[in-house]
Amino acid sequence: MTTYSSLPRPSQTTLLVGGSNGTATLCAILGDKSKPENANHTLRVATRSSRKYLDEGGGPRAWRCTEKKHLSDVVAADFLPTRTVTHVGAPDSVFVYGNNDGNNDGNNSGNSNGDGGDLSPLERAISGISSPDDGGVADVIVLACPVSAHLSLLRRVARALYRLDARGLLGSSNR
């Protein structure tokens, strides 16, 4: 008998947009390659600041978080026994879209030769074009940022999606 847990997991690419502590926590959990549930999962981060998500060598920085889990899913009360799980993980790639680069909104122009040279960092993070990982087009985009930044980031993501779609760079809808 085949169980769900024994089936190979389909590949998934998740893009976290923002630079909050929530982004770092999700990097630790979703980027933890020692966990079987993260098999075939590509994790990208698009952020304004490279300092927080890139190490001194320019690679993605690893994050650590400790999760408190209740032993029972039926009742989760503080007086019941718990256990802790430590997650250590890193994104597969980091894209810095910055406020001062001219390419951050997808309003830049250039030739459309498909090599990603004319795409903004956010567009490359969404499309996977010229990405250092092999995740392809992002399946899920999560705004993991302070609430005050949601509207402006959502506008950025929408502009990037419209531009990529107009150029046919989002892949097939029959995926």
Side-chain angles (χ1 to χ4, degrees):
M1 181 173 152
T2 304
T3 62
Y4 175 74
S5 61
S6 67
L7 294 174
R9 294 189 182 267
S11 62
Q12 177 180 322
T13 299
T14 301
L15 171 61
L16 304 176
V17 180
S20 68
N21 291 336
T23 304
T25 301
L26 287 171
C27 284
I29 295 169
L30 299 175
D32 188 349
K33 301 301 184 193
S34 70
K35 305 285 192 246
E37 53 270 9
N38 290 336
N40 299 324
H41 190 222
T42 301
L43 182 63
R44 295 183 187 139
V45 170
T47 183
R48 270 192 321 222
S49 173
S50 63
R51 290 186 311 272
K52 190 170 183 179
Y53 291 93
L54 295 174
D55 61 21
E56 293 83 23
R61 178 179 170 194
W63 292 90
R64 173 184 299 270
C65 76
T66 303
E67 178 182 11
K68 178 179 165 183
K69 295 186 104 170
H70 291 275
L71 296 180
S72 169
D73 289 334
V74 178
V75 177
D78 286 334
F79 62 86
L80 293 175
T82 61
R83 64 184 173 97
T84 59
V85 177
T86 300
H87 302 277
V88 179
D92 295 292
S93 53
V94 176
F95 299 82
V96 180
Y97 59 82
N99 281 333
N100 296 325
D101 70 10
N103 303 335
N104 62 358
D105 289 348
N107 293 329
N108 55 326
S109 59
N111 60 17
S112 179
N113 58 12
D115 69 355
D118 61 334
L119 298 177
S120 74
L122 185 56
E123 290 169 340
R124 288 195 327 269
I126 293 169
S127 69
I129 296 172
S130 296
S131 175
D133 60 59
D134 60 356
V137 176
D139 298 298
V140 178
I141 300 173
V142 178
L143 296 182
C145 54
V147 174
S148 61
H150 281 180
L151 185 56
S152 66
L153 278 177
L154 190 56
R155 286 181 177 148
R156 270 183 205 254
V157 169
R159 279 193 300 264
L161 286 169
Y162 290 138
R163 187 165 183 257
L164 290 167
D165 187 50
R167 297 172 67 191
L169 298 175
L170 289 179
S172 163
S173 60
N174 299 327
R175 196 170 155 189

